[in-house]
Amino acid sequence: MKITAIRGFRDILPDESGLWQVLTSQARASFSTYGFSEIILPLLEKTELFARAIGETTDIVEKEMYTFTDRDDSSLTLRPEGTASVIRAYIEHSLHQKEPVSKLFYIGPMFRRERPQKGRYRQFHQIGAEILGRDDALIDAELLLMLNDFFTALRLDVSIDVNSLGCATCRPRYRERLRTFGESKFAALCENCHGRLQRNPLRILDCKEEGCRHATIDAPILADFLCDPCRQHFGQVQTLLHNERVKITVNPRLVRGLDYYCRTSFEVLALGLGSQNAVCGGGRYDGLVEQMGGPAIPGIGFAIGVERLAMLLQAQERQNAEAPDMFIAPMGEVAENQAFAVARRLRQDGYRIELESGRRSLKAQMRRADKLAVPYVLILGENEITAGKGTVRDMQTKTDRSLAVDLSASAQDMMKAIRASDV
Ligand SMILES: [Zn+2]
Ligand SMILES: [Zn+2]
């Protein structure tokens, strides 16, 4: 009988591994510009590490870990995530004594015994990063900016959801208020949420059940309960990102399960590929290092799901494969006639050409070209047309180049001239 891979464990074959190479190299490149160094961690740790870091009563620790007894009777676990190991190493090697701030990233497999489903595996991969030693708004914004740069470099259109989870001063008051609110809606909440009301009322806000979402629609929000320092911190994070034109949305439902999570919490969503897809999650965890037996040092980090990211990039590639070869943007009626002829000529030779009306503004036409993900736009203006010229805009580099439009040239030569900036 033939032996197959274990359920939920898969091979990444050469047709896919190239893409993995691209995205892990991009992570290394993007992260290094922000001063991060790689930390390479063991796959196997003592079970108690995760019980302490993630929490004994979490689904991960209770139901999903690959835990076994070693030959010397010690309990070992295949790591279900990366942060716990980073913190363990940070404390074990006293990195805080060697440098005031540590910026570390890791890339590698994690293991959770979840129900296998499309795009979810029991051995999955994460690209994660942690910053230890700073708790100011600037560093939180920097981390988010780095993520934005990384996804932009991969040409994945993303939006970042952010929230502030407050601190030990302001959150307890909110938690009690939310518990009271939840109890008033008790009958409408699911069984899971009934338990959450006792253990961690914040989690009723991110329940996926329709009934719970509906019942919590007018729940009090944490933003109204933040203390002044937390409010200022969150405000500054948002301002810094707005100034850098990073797309962020404040999402009051973005909460986390454990007490040590505080202030900035975030999720990166991939846009433009059907339903919104979370591709990365993270946040600040100022109490964790201390809880793990280290000094009181603040931290913030994230983890990117590599399988999910690879899937999105492949979907995007497919979408781009269907994009037109070129978009023609005529300006005015004279140019329109010329563009009509050029489009006809190119289409006859099999090129996919999108032709716009010359009556729409250049800005509107460019917006549409961007949406269609075309590589080139040929801009034909009245003045240029009389001079037998056009402008080619490379949509990837956003650069313009003047081009002689020779209507007597063959379609192939015309396309070659348009694509010439590639060589
Ligand atoms: Zn606070
Ligand atoms: Zn629920």
Side-chain angles (χ1 to χ4, degrees):
M1 211 176 82
K2 97 182 155 206
I3 301 172
T4 56
I6 308 166
R7 190 161 183 244
F9 290 66
R10 71 176 188 131
D11 306 304
I12 295 149
L13 298 173
D15 64 344
E16 200 187 343
S17 61
L19 177 60
W20 281 54
Q21 196 63 49
V22 168
L23 58 91
T24 50
S25 330
Q26 187 57 57
R28 291 192 165 92
S30 295
F31 299 176
S32 76
T33 63
Y34 283 80
F36 281 74
S37 313
E38 185 164 5
I39 181 166
I40 301 169
L41 299 155
L43 300 190
L44 214 49
E45 297 271 7
K46 292 179 184 162
T47 304
E48 62 195 90
L49 172 71
F50 303 111
R52 181 115 62 107
I54 306 169
E56 310 248 18
T57 60
T58 54
D59 277 0
I60 297 177
V61 173
E62 273 181 349
K63 303 173 196 162
E64 296 168 358
M65 294 203 308
Y66 281 95
T67 297
F68 66 94
T69 309
D70 199 3
R71 289 168 204 273
D72 64 359
D73 287 333
S74 55
S75 179
L76 304 182
T77 294
L78 277 168
R79 64 179 187 189
E81 55 110 65
T83 305
S85 302
V86 174
I87 308 287
R88 182 209 33 81
Y90 179 78
I91 299 170
E92 188 170 340
H93 303 288
S94 304
L95 291 187
H96 59 281
Q97 286 171 1
K98 296 173 186 144
E99 53 193 15
V101 182
S102 299
K103 297 178 180 175
L104 305 164
F105 76 88
Y106 57 85
I107 297 176
M110 309 291 159
F111 305 84
R112 287 185 204 177
R113 205 175 193 291
E114 290 184 275
R115 205 164 54 81
Q117 44 183 292
K118 194 178 177 292
R120 183 174 294 179
Y121 301 94
R122 290 176 166 178
Q123 175 178 330
F124 59 100
H125 297 73
Q126 285 186 339
I127 298 174
E130 320 285 348
I131 300 173
L132 295 148
R134 272 181 69 179
D135 61 3
D136 52 311
L138 211 71
I139 202 73
D140 292 19
E142 224 180 64
L143 189 71
L144 288 165
L145 203 53
M146 177 173 94
L147 271 173
N148 188 72
D149 288 357
F150 168 66
F151 290 114
T152 305
L154 290 174
R155 300 198 176 151
L156 195 67
D157 194 12
V158 297
S159 158
I160 303 176
D161 270 14
V162 291
N163 193 19
S164 174
L165 298 182
C167 65
T169 310
C170 54
R171 195 171 49 232
R173 201 160 62 90
Y174 173 67
R175 192 200 311 260
E176 281 324 300
R177 186 64 175 279
L178 195 61
R179 179 174 288 145
T180 312
F181 171 85
E183 274 157 4
S184 76
K185 304 270 179 180
F186 199 81
L189 298 177
C190 73
E191 210 171 298
N192 256 335
C193 282
H194 291 164
R196 287 174 180 147
L197 269 185
Q198 292 319 308
R199 288 195 312 272
N200 195 330
L202 265 67
R203 294 294 311 279
I204 67 171
L205 295 176
D206 72 350
C207 182
K208 303 284 175 280
E209 293 289 330
E210 195 56 47
C212 298
R213 294 197 78 83
H214 189 76
T216 55
I217 227 156
D218 55 351
I221 61 169
L222 186 46
D224 296 333
F225 288 75
L226 293 181
C227 63
D228 282 343
C230 282
R231 193 186 307 276
Q232 268 166 27
H233 190 275
F234 192 35
Q236 199 188 346
V237 170
Q238 291 176 66
T239 307
L240 287 163
L241 292 169
H242 277 306
N243 291 348
E244 295 305 317
R245 296 178 198 289
V246 176
K247 280 180 238 165
I248 54 166
T249 311
V250 176
N251 177 1
R253 286 182 183 268
L254 194 59
V255 294
R256 279 173 186 273
L258 298 164
D259 268 350
Y260 54 72
Y261 285 110
C262 61
R263 293 195 168 166
T264 314
S265 173
F266 55 91
E267 202 167 72
V268 182
L269 306 161
L271 306 170
L273 290 160
S275 59
Q276 288 201 333
N277 287 289
V279 66
C280 166
R284 176 158 285 291
Y285 48 78
D286 289 350
L288 181 59
V289 180
E290 202 172 9
Q291 183 178 314
M292 301 290 295
I297 284 173
I300 183 170
F302 63 73
I304 298 167
V306 180
E307 277 79 3
R308 175 68 66 88
L309 179 56
M311 221 165 67
L312 289 167
L313 289 171
Q314 279 166 336
Q316 183 170 269
E317 217 164 83
R318 274 196 301 277
Q319 200 176 57
N320 289 349
E322 287 154 22
D325 295 309
M326 190 174 66
F327 186 101
I328 303 182
M331 308 299 302
E333 272 175 56
V334 179
E336 207 175 53
N337 292 336
Q338 191 82 295
F340 193 76
V342 175
R344 165 74 174 150
R345 213 183 162 76
L346 292 169
R347 284 169 179 156
Q348 267 181 324
D349 248 50
Y351 293 107
R352 285 170 308 205
I353 305 297
E354 189 61 28
L355 173 64
E356 255 290 356
S357 152
R359 264 152 276 195
R360 296 191 71 193
S361 73
L362 184 61
K363 204 175 157 197
Q365 297 202 40
M366 282 304 165
R367 233 187 345 253
R368 192 154 163 256
D370 221 13
K371 210 165 192 172
L372 290 171
V374 293
Y376 300 100
V377 176
L378 176 62
I379 305 164
L380 297 174
E382 311 262 285
N383 294 338
E384 289 111 309
I385 281 291
T386 28
K389 277 183 180 167
T391 301
V392 175
R393 179 167 298 176
D394 183 324
M395 295 300 281
Q396 271 155 21
T397 58
K398 304 278 179 208
T399 49
D400 288 351
R401 179 166 55 84
S402 178
L403 176 85
V405 181
D406 180 4
L407 276 181
S408 60
S410 73
Q412 266 135 352
D413 285 346
M414 225 187 279
M415 278 311 280
K416 207 188 270 173
I418 287 159
R419 290 170 173 161
S421 59
D422 280 358
V423 263

